[in-house]
Amino acid sequence: FLWAVGSAAYQTEGGWRQHGKGASIWDTFTHRAPAAPSPHPPATGDVASDGYNNVFRDTEGLRELGVTHYRFSISWARVFPNGSAGTPNREGLRYYRRLLERLRELGVQPVVTLYHWDLPQRLQDVYGGWANRALADHFRDYAELCFRHFGGQVKYWITIDNPYVVAWHGYTTGRLAPGVRGSPRLGYLVAHNLLLAHAKIWHLYNTSFRPTQGGQVSIALGSHWITPQRMTDHNIKECQKSLDFVLNWFAKPIFIDGDYPDSMKSNLSSLLPDFTESEKKFIKGTADFFSLSFGPTLSFQLLEPHMKFHQLESPSLRQLLSWIDLEYNHPQIFIVESGWFVSGTTKKDDAKYMYYLKKFIMETLKAIRLDGVDVIGYTAWSLMDGFEWHRGYSIRRGLFYVDFLSQDKKLMPKSSALFYQKLIESNGFPPLPENQPLEGTFPCDFAWGVVDNYIQVDMTLSQFTDPNIYLWDIHHSKRLIKVDGVVAKKRKSYCVDFAAIRPQIALLQEMHVTHFHFSLDWALILPLGNLSQVNGTILHYYRCMVSELVRANITPVVALWQPAALHQGLPASLAKQGAWENPRIALAFAEYARLCFEELGHHVKFWITMNEPYTRNLTYGAGHHLLKAHALAWRLYDEKFRSIQKGKISIALQADWIEPACPFSQKDKEVAERVLEFDIGWLAEPIFGSGDYPRVMRDWLNQRSNFLLPYFTEEEAKLIQGSFDFLALSHYTTILVDWEKEDPLKYNDYLEVQEMTDITWLNSPSQVAVVPWGLRRVLNWLKMKYGDLPVYIVANGIDDDPHEEQDKLRTYYLQNYINEALKAYVLDGINLCGYFAYSFNDRSAPKYGFYRYAANQFEPKPSMKHYRKIIDNNGFLGPETLGRFCPEEYTMCTECSFFRTRKSLLAFIAFLFFACIVSLALMFYYSKKGRRSYK
């Protein structure tokens, strides 16, 4: 595979008047006075990256990358200052010869472009540039000189780069040099001449140089990819038309039949020039490989909106490669330009560029391995920062950073360069050992659970609690008719009277979970926020729920409070009084906790004080009071209830992993640690660590003269520190962070961080990234920070497409996240005690549930069955893995509940039965005795 990097002469060489170089159309175009006055001088390529004076510097960059090929272009005006045959510029020839010699020393193969948009200005002035057919002869003379001087060392030649851009934006829109704002007819004429000029060069090389030099010649064609807005026949044809008007405009004449696409001929009529039959034969087959350019120069920047034909542009290189493969009869494809760009202010940590590069190379690999496309090489664009055409220096595309204001213009490798270097070293993306699935099992007493943030409190009673009397009208309506004024004796209510509880528990039993995690509704239990009004009916419902769970041998895991949209999940009166900003809320929470412990604690042995308080929505004062409220509840349980109820209690923190966007960047590592401390450490450190807020957090805020983070008194620190029995966390995804201010709209100035994602990651419909290894990393980070604590993952899940019958994404998510949890337990020694999947059903958490809810019915999804299988295996059993032997625990017979709840009645019946037997025995005895006496 050919690993390459590229550059273009005008973008990087500079030296615009050095050693006899002539002016090019880009020199003239950039020196032209701007139409509107500007305080800044126009950007030019006069010096650019100064590659002309730094051959050794540039080639050292190639050595660092480890590329096998280097694509560069020859400046026509540097070799022929006037553009025409005659005496060539010796200094110009010497420069390229020196570059080629240095490449030979490094073992790097050159890929040379003859024309990369920088036409000698004299040819534009005298002939009108590519609008004149006569230019092809001058191009032939220039190409012949290059083949003769350099062809012995060059095996890959590219005649013209991106003829679409040259023709359309050079001669129709005027956005690029030479800046001609002509009619569409002129643009199509220029393209016509470019095709004929290219064919002339190919035939020249084929007849005069290929026999001795053995090289290959092609033309670099730029393209976008387009997808239908809706999958209709019309939209699909419009997508084909979009590609016809950009890529096929040049590719079809060369690779198929020497003529333009039918859609262009039928839509453009007289605007499009005609090829003669001899010209068609002359053009057809004039490429030895398919040379493809794919990136922002054309896609998303220079593609005219009307060329999209009302369809959607997409950066999908894999689909484009597969389409070319099918459209052009499986050619060899060499990607001669691909990459992305970052802001001109971004320096060395170009995370956005790096992940686009990763995406494009991954898609290339998929095209090769999965689609059978014959891609022979990939060229990252570009070697170094340079002049970016119509964007000037406002963006950067280099793997190496160049400070354009410096004198020496050193090349400094960016994160993308280090990434590309490692990629080339590995020749792709070999499977990493740490990402391979692990076979094994969790401990025997592992808690397998499911989460339902708020259970549906359904107070509907069963039909057996109705005291009314009914008659069955069997003759007419066939319905029950209520008898007015007659009621039966009201009986005592039982938990089984709540119709909604039993079906929920039946579903949990179907899942084979051992634990069920849900949150109480503080506002429902205490509508006024204090004990002056207690909702006894709701408490009775919760009591029934937890008692029935215990009866079914399922451990209830109950959270006292969880943030919610309405009043933050607080009673309305507390929300109006400032919510968590109010210092008195801590005592109100402790009062509420006491009530819950008293009413439910006999059945609940696993408590969560606060479930997933979201630190990004908290003020420092609110977080301070929240911690005190948690600690008061924990101390209350520890001192008053633990000895009797024998339960355990802690706080559950949201702990998504934060990964440095650039793994080679020390600054990104510092940023990631800072965000972790603000996201997790803010509430974790006072409880599980030092008793105070994280040092990183205090130092960062003090540096910015922000003194809003409160201090704990000695008494408060003592109250909060150690107020836990285990470490509980919920984890959903991984976020990348970068310190560079690439996108001001997404930049967090407060923490000086930009969040982003790896675009190669799998995403859910709501754009949550699926990154299983993030769970293992956050578990290890917590262990490193707070020691070897018992850990419960109390929520982990993903949304999936509700219309997807087979919820494959959730199944994949569960399989891989639980496997990473197993690695943390087996390989890293994390004291992992339980895993809870989110969520129970779609009724309470739409798109997240294991059960689909429709028409008052719950239907299990395939992911539920997959989770159940993992639970049954207690992990992941392989062909050579022996399951851990777990002794059978005594399981209560759930069908026997009838007898267990009626022990007094059973004892009375047993007594009657025993008395009856004794009476019969006595009667039998005395009757026999009486007969003997009679005898």
Side-chain angles (χ1 to χ4, degrees):
F1 193 77
L2 315 181
W3 291 106
V5 68
S7 66
Y10 186 76
Q11 290 186 281
T12 58
E13 278 184 8
W16 78 286
R17 284 190 298 192
Q18 267 186 271
H19 301 149
K21 177 188 172 293
S24 75
I25 55 173
W26 271 96
D27 292 320
T28 305
F29 186 71
T30 55
H31 294 162
R32 192 181 297 167
S38 171
H40 305 289
T44 73
D46 292 357
V47 179
S49 317
D50 200 23
Y52 182 72
N53 297 302
N54 288 283
V55 171
F56 185 80
R57 177 204 68 178
D58 295 352
T59 52
E60 275 299 289
L62 299 174
R63 187 183 61 77
E64 283 184 48
L65 289 174
V67 291
T68 60
H69 290 67
Y70 176 45
R71 181 189 170 197
F72 65 93
S73 72
I74 294 173
S75 170
W76 189 343
R78 196 177 294 284
V79 174
F80 278 136
N82 292 323
S84 302
T87 306
N89 178 9
R90 289 186 180 180
E91 288 298 320
L93 291 174
R94 187 176 291 119
Y95 164 69
Y96 292 112
R97 202 174 291 119
R98 196 163 69 248
L99 174 59
L100 287 167
E101 181 58 30
R102 177 72 180 141
L103 293 177
R104 189 185 64 77
E105 290 171 8
L106 294 173
V108 175
Q109 291 288 322
V111 179
V112 179
T113 306
L114 293 170
Y115 181 71
H116 203 126
W117 308 0
D118 50 351
L119 186 72
Q121 182 61 41
R122 182 178 171 277
L123 296 181
Q124 183 65 33
D125 295 339
V126 174
Y127 297 97
W130 289 107
N132 193 321
R133 198 165 184 158
L135 210 68
D137 293 327
H138 295 284
F139 190 40
R140 183 193 181 281
D141 294 340
Y142 159 59
E144 185 175 11
L145 176 79
C146 293
F147 292 153
R148 183 160 286 121
H149 276 266
F150 312 126
Q153 287 180 252
V154 180
K155 300 305 176 190
Y156 290 96
W157 289 97
I158 291 167
T159 55
I160 300 165
D161 182 84
N162 214 331
Y164 167 87
V165 172
V166 175
W168 198 256
H169 292 297
Y171 292 85
T172 302
T173 68
R175 290 178 67 187
L176 303 180
V180 177
R181 294 182 181 177
S183 65
R185 185 190 299 275
L186 179 62
Y188 293 120
L189 175 64
V190 167
H192 199 75
N193 294 338
L194 287 168
L195 279 165
L196 290 168
H198 156 77
K200 184 169 283 195
I201 304 309
W202 187 89
H203 284 288
L204 167 68
Y205 188 85
N206 194 50
T207 55
S208 304
F209 295 96
R210 192 190 304 274
T212 55
Q213 295 179 0
Q216 298 184 69
V217 179
S218 189
I219 180 171
L221 301 179
S223 186
H224 61 303
W225 180 248
I226 200 93
T227 59
Q229 285 216 21
R230 287 184 301 278
M231 200 58 73
T232 65
D233 288 344
H234 171 75
N235 285 352
I236 291 169
K237 286 175 183 175
E238 292 296 283
C239 287
Q240 175 72 30
K241 197 186 294 182
S242 177
L243 290 170
D244 282 347
F245 274 65
V246 179
L247 176 60
N248 291 355
W249 183 5
F250 302 93
K252 185 172 176 286
I254 293 170
F255 290 93
I256 301 294
D257 58 6
D259 202 1
Y260 295 117
D262 292 337
S263 63
M264 290 187 77
K265 291 198 288 186
S266 60
N267 279 273
L268 299 173
S269 61
S270 61
L271 290 177
L272 197 65
D274 293 320
F275 289 116
T276 65
E277 289 304 314
S278 61
E279 285 173 339
K280 290 178 186 178
K281 290 178 183 176
F282 186 68
I283 291 171
K284 180 184 174 183
T286 55
D288 301 319
F289 55 94
F290 199 109
S291 176
L292 177 66
S293 168
F294 184 82
T297 301
L298 179 55
S299 295
F300 301 94
Q301 285 193 51
L302 291 173
L303 182 67
E304 289 291 280
H306 69 270
M307 294 291 190
K308 299 176 189 177
F309 293 91
H310 307 293
Q311 305 308 310
L312 303 173
E313 196 173 1
S314 163
S316 179
L317 177 55
R318 178 184 175 186
Q319 287 178 281
L320 177 62
L321 290 170
S322 296
W323 185 85
I324 291 170
D325 182 62
L326 295 169
E327 191 83 357
Y328 294 106
N329 197 26
H330 316 298
Q332 275 196 335
I333 303 172
F334 189 177
I335 300 167
V336 294
E337 177 185 349
S338 182
W340 209 246
F341 63 93
V342 291
S343 163
T345 59
T346 298
K347 294 183 171 61
K348 291 173 64 179
D349 292 329
D350 55 340
K352 184 174 83 169
Y353 178 99
M354 182 176 74
Y355 287 110
Y356 267 102
L357 185 65
K358 180 183 177 183
K359 171 187 166 71
F360 292 145
I361 298 172
M362 271 192 170
E363 291 196 350
T364 302
L365 182 61
K366 288 176 186 175
I368 296 168
R369 294 285 184 231
L370 305 179
D371 308 331
V373 182
D374 187 9
V375 184
I376 62 170
Y378 182 91
T379 306
W381 199 271
S382 65
L383 173 62
M384 69 197 88
D385 292 332
F387 175 81
E388 290 299 334
W389 311 115
H390 62 298
R391 301 289 293 271
Y393 296 100
S394 65
I395 63 171
R396 293 176 180 268
R397 294 188 65 196
L399 295 171
F400 285 85
Y401 174 79
V402 176
D403 181 356
F404 297 111
L405 300 178
S406 67
Q407 192 66 36
D408 56 1
K409 293 184 173 51
K410 286 181 182 176
L411 296 190
M412 292 181 280
K414 301 182 188 179
S415 290
S416 56
L418 301 174
F419 166 78
Y420 196 44
Q421 176 193 46
K422 298 283 184 189
L423 192 70
I424 293 169
E425 209 173 85
S426 305
N427 198 35
F429 302 92
L432 299 173
E434 61 267 28
N435 290 340
Q436 300 309 298
L438 180 69
E439 293 173 358
T441 57
F442 290 95
C444 289
D445 58 350
F446 195 73
W448 289 105
V450 68
V451 187
D452 197 357
N453 281 346
Y454 289 100
I455 57 172
Q456 297 292 324
V457 178
D458 187 348
M459 305 300 291
T460 306
L461 299 173
S462 71
Q463 60 182 339
F464 303 108
T465 61
D466 188 351
N468 293 297
I469 304 297
Y470 297 85
L471 289 176
W472 190 1
D473 183 4
I474 60 173
H475 298 294
H476 300 100
S477 66
K478 310 291 187 193
R479 294 181 180 177
L480 292 172
I481 300 172
K482 181 179 174 185
V483 179
D484 293 329
V486 182
V487 291
K489 185 180 178 181
K490 194 171 182 180
R491 67 169 177 79
K492 182 183 174 183
S493 64
Y494 296 97
C495 288
V496 291
D497 293 336
F498 291 115
I501 292 179
R502 279 284 178 87
Q504 289 188 70
I505 290 176
L507 295 178
L508 293 169
Q509 288 176 310
E510 184 183 29
M511 291 185 73
H512 297 181
V513 293
T514 62
H515 290 62
F516 179 51
H517 173 28
F518 66 92
S519 299
L520 302 177
D521 192 328
W522 186 355
L524 276 180
I525 295 171
L526 298 179
L528 300 181
N530 56 47
L531 298 180
S532 64
Q533 184 180 334
V534 177
N535 191 331
T537 309
I538 292 293
L539 269 175
H540 178 56
Y541 185 89
Y542 283 135
R543 196 182 304 113
C544 286
M545 185 71 192
V546 294
S547 64
E548 289 297 309
L549 283 168
V550 172
R551 193 186 300 277
N553 213 27
I554 296 171
T555 302
V557 179
V558 180
L560 295 171
W561 174 78
Q562 172 157 330
L566 184 64
H567 304 311
Q568 303 179 39
L570 302 170
S573 57
L574 292 179
K576 288 175 184 174
Q577 293 168 20
W580 290 107
E581 298 288 348
N582 190 332
R584 288 177 293 179
I585 197 171
L587 292 173
F589 182 75
E591 188 178 49
Y592 159 63
R594 178 188 292 273
L595 175 68
C596 295
F597 297 153
E598 288 171 348
E599 295 292 330
L600 308 176
H602 297 292
H603 299 290
V604 179
K605 310 302 177 190
F606 198 138
W607 290 98
I608 302 288
T609 55
M610 318 281 183
N611 194 49
E612 296 184 29
Y614 192 50
T615 52
R616 296 192 178 191
N617 289 343
L618 279 180
T619 64
Y620 298 125
H624 201 71
H625 302 143
L626 190 145
L627 282 166
K628 287 166 68 175
H630 152 77
L632 286 171
W634 189 90
R635 298 291 172 190
L636 173 68
Y637 189 84
D638 190 51
E639 293 165 10
K640 304 289 185 184
F641 296 94
R642 189 190 300 276
S643 59
I644 304 165
Q645 297 179 359
K646 312 294 185 192
K648 53 189 174 184
I649 183 169
S650 195
I651 189 171
L653 303 175
Q654 182 162 337
D656 287 336
W657 179 241
I658 306 296
E659 180 75 7
C662 298
F664 317 102
S665 165
Q666 185 58 37
K667 283 191 175 181
D668 275 8
K669 289 176 184 176
E670 290 169 7
V671 163
E673 188 66 24
R674 179 158 68 243
V675 176
L676 282 168
E677 292 289 11
F678 271 81
D679 278 2
I680 306 171
W682 179 359
L683 299 181
E685 183 66 27
I687 297 170
F688 302 98
S690 63
D692 191 15
Y693 294 114
R695 187 80 259 156
V696 169
M697 201 172 170
R698 281 218 184 274
D699 290 346
W700 180 259
L701 294 174
N702 290 342
Q703 285 169 22
R704 278 142 194 81
S705 302
N706 183 332
F707 305 111
L708 295 176
L709 189 63
Y711 284 87
F712 293 110
T713 65
E714 191 176 331
E715 187 181 333
E716 287 172 339
K718 191 176 178 183
L719 174 78
I720 294 168
Q721 188 178 21
S723 57
F724 68 91
D725 296 329
F726 52 88
L727 196 160
L729 68 125
S730 55
H731 174 90
Y732 302 99
T733 189
T734 291
I735 300 164
L736 298 176
V737 291
D738 183 22
W739 72 275
E740 293 270 17
K741 194 172 185 175
E742 172 61 31
D743 185 347
L745 294 177
K746 296 179 181 177
Y747 191 76
N748 181 339
D749 289 292
Y750 187 65
L751 292 180
E752 295 185 7
V753 62
Q754 179 149 324
E755 291 188 357
M756 59 186 303
T757 187
D758 181 340
I759 54 174
T760 66
W761 285 346
L762 191 61
N763 282 289
S764 75
S766 64
Q767 297 304 301
V768 175
V770 179
V771 193
W773 49 259
L775 174 58
R776 184 179 175 190
R777 292 194 185 180
V778 79
L779 288 170
N780 276 282
W781 184 82
L782 289 166
K783 181 182 178 180
M784 179 268 294
K785 290 283 295 181
Y786 307 119
D788 189 18
L789 304 177
V791 178
Y792 289 87
I793 300 163
V794 293
N796 177 239
I798 195 78
D799 64 297
D800 208 345
D801 186 348
H803 305 296
E804 182 69 50
E805 286 296 318
Q806 306 293 323
D807 56 341
K808 294 178 182 175
L809 178 63
R810 183 175 294 104
T811 301
Y812 173 86
Y813 184 98
L814 284 168
Q815 175 78 14
N816 288 279
Y817 272 82
I818 297 174
N819 198 261
E820 289 297 320
L822 181 67
K823 291 176 190 175
Y825 168 67
V826 173
L827 304 179
D828 307 330
I830 304 294
N831 186 9
L832 190 61
C833 302
Y835 173 91
F836 292 70
Y838 180 81
S839 167
F840 183 28
N841 62 68
D842 281 344
R843 186 182 180 189
S844 53
K847 300 187 289 187
Y848 281 85
F850 284 110
Y851 285 90
R852 196 174 281 106
Y853 181 74
N856 289 323
Q857 295 291 321
F858 290 98
E859 178 192 346
K861 300 179 186 178
S863 57
M864 186 284 284
K865 296 171 184 174
H866 188 76
Y867 185 42
R868 183 172 64 190
K869 182 181 175 184
I870 294 172
I871 294 172
D872 290 345
N873 291 332
N874 200 32
F876 301 90
L877 300 179
E880 299 178 5
T881 311
L882 292 174
R884 183 192 298 250
F885 173 74
C886 293
E888 287 288 331
E889 292 185 6
Y890 170 70
T891 306
M892 289 184 179
C893 168
T894 56
E895 289 77 14
C896 303
S897 60
F898 173 86
F899 302 103
R900 286 202 307 273
T901 56
R902 293 164 176 82
K903 291 178 181 177
S904 301
L905 177 63
L906 288 172
F908 180 66
I909 292 171
F911 172 74
L912 287 177
F913 181 73
F914 177 74
C916 184
I917 295 295
V918 170
S919 298
L920 287 171
L922 288 170
M923 288 170 65
F924 179 74
Y925 171 76
Y926 283 111
S927 67
K928 285 189 74 174
K929 187 176 180 184
R931 278 199 297 270
R932 281 200 303 271
S933 301
Y934 179 75
K935 287 177 181 178

